[in-house]
Amino acid sequence: AVEYIHSGDAIVMNNGTATLELARCLLESGKQVTVATNSPDIATILNMNKENSVYLTAGYMRKHNKSLVGSMCSDCLSNFKVDKTIICVDGISIEEGVTEYNPEEAAVLRKMVEIGHTCMLLCEYGRFNEVAFNKICEAGKIQYVFTDWNVPAKEVKAWGEVRVKVIAAPEREIC
């Protein structure tokens, strides 16, 4: 996914294992970005590039994953418009859309999708056709899904028919 982010882009990223790895790859690439995030870990990594502008949202810090959530987080995100929204989610389905189990995380993700021009999902193939409790958005709001090499060609084709480009990483490639 790092090749779809360009120096000068304004991005928003949520807390997640894949977005954390993407932050490491962005740092390694040397690309200059302006980022808003609800992840203290992502903010810390991207702040290591002195050319980056990093904005960490306000909000309540969840204990198990350290993401910032709540109305303060969503209100903070309302101040931004970004080129790319880059998020990890719990489920994606052509019929049911993009979903998340935690309602507070879902509210933040809805705001992130709203403020972005292009929406990019990072998810392992196991999240495909998974439907979680809280809806974030319709599948058509997404432009790109970056996933692992396990995604079947018929799944890629089905998403392509709803104008979502699914990009599978080569086996064992991280960045």
Side-chain angles (χ1 to χ4, degrees), residues 60-80:
Y60 170 78
M61 185 181 284
R62 294 182 65 205
K63 303 263 186 273
H64 87 283
N65 69 0
K66 295 191 291 185
S67 67
L68 300 170
V69 295
S71 61
M72 289 174 64
C73 182
S74 295
D75 290 348
C76 183
L77 289 167
S78 293
N79 293 303
F80 300 104

Side-chain angles (χ1 to χ4, degrees), residues 137-159:
C137 66
E138 298 293 334
K141 287 272 196 184
I142 306 304
Q143 284 78 39
Y144 298 96
V145 177
F146 294 90
T147 190
D148 59 69
W149 53 90
N150 292 314
V151 64
K154 68 177 180 145
E155 194 74 43
V156 173
K157 183 177 185 237
W159 281 88

